[in-house]
């Protein structure tokens, strides 16, 4: 069954035919390419902001240096950003080559690999941001019950730069979630197209 060039498979997955398929696919690929470039850039920015952050304060004639390795959640976030940047760079190359060659559809194994990779990176980046944000809250407001001090009162510059890095990483996480939806659309559209062909026969 089709309406305005759009077929509907038994699984209610839209299936685009003819020239409409190519137009939709190009727009999806372009959106995917832009998102992956944004993720790659912001993941690098977040990793650099946090990884290079440090501040030295003198407390009672003792010099204390705050650095990101003092908080395991920040180390995890830097690693997650590095992985997200590397993964996105590989996918940017793939998307660019695919658009240059003019290929329209994925094959199923590749679509599954991309879908699984995007899901993994989305969960990884989101978990890293959540852990870092929780640690940042404790550093900002402290925890009187556990006698944890407000670290940001002493290391303001350090905390501000960490906050910028977490904000950048949050955008990366949101973008990865959107990309997971795009890769899911690209994957299940293949199955919808196959069902449509079978029904047509």
């Amino acid at each position: 069954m089709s309406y305005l060039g759009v077929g509907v498979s038994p699984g209610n997955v839209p299936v685009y035919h003819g020239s409409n398929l190519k137009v939709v696919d190009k727009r999806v690929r372009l959106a995917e390419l832009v998102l992956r470039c944004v993720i790659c850039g912001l993941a690098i920015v977040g990793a650099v902001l946090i990884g290079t952050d440090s501040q030295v304060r003198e407390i009672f004639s003792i010099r204390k240096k705050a650095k990101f390795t003092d908080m395991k959640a920040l180390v995890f976030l830097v690693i997650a950003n590095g992985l997200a940047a590397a993964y996105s760079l590989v996918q940017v190359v793939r998307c660019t080559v695919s658009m240059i060659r003019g290929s329209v559809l994925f094959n199923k194994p590749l679509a599954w690999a991309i879908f699984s990779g995007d899901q993994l990176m989305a969960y990884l980046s989101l978990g890293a941001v959540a852990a870092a944000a929780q640690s940042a809250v404790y550093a900002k407001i402290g925890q009187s019950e556990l006698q944890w001090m407000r670290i940001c009162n002493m290391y303001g510059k350090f905390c501000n730069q960490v906050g910028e890095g977490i904000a950048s990483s949050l955008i990366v996480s949101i973008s990865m979630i959107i990309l997971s939806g795009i890769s899911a659309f690209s994957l299940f559209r293949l199955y919808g197209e196959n069902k449509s062909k079978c029904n047509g026969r």
Side-chain angles (χ1 to χ4, degrees), residues 9 13-15 111-112 115 183-193:
S9 71
V13 179
V15 181
W112 271 109
F115 172 72
S183 58
F185 170 79
S186 299
L187 172 62
F188 295 113
R189 184 180 58 181
L190 295 179
Y191 288 92
E193 184 189 37

Side-chain angles (χ1 to χ4, degrees), residues 57-102:
R57 289 293 303 272
E58 187 170 325
I59 303 173
F60 300 115
S61 301
I62 300 176
R63 292 174 62 85
K64 297 285 291 183
K65 183 178 182 179
K67 50 188 183 297
F68 82 101
T69 52
D70 295 333
M71 299 177 68
K72 301 304 180 185
L74 295 182
V75 175
F76 179 38
L77 183 57
V78 169
I79 294 173
N81 277 333
L83 291 174
Y87 174 77
S88 296
L89 181 60
V90 172
Q91 293 295 340
V92 164
V93 173
R94 177 193 60 78
C95 288
T96 303
V97 171
S98 178
M99 293 178 70
I100 291 174
R101 290 182 176 178

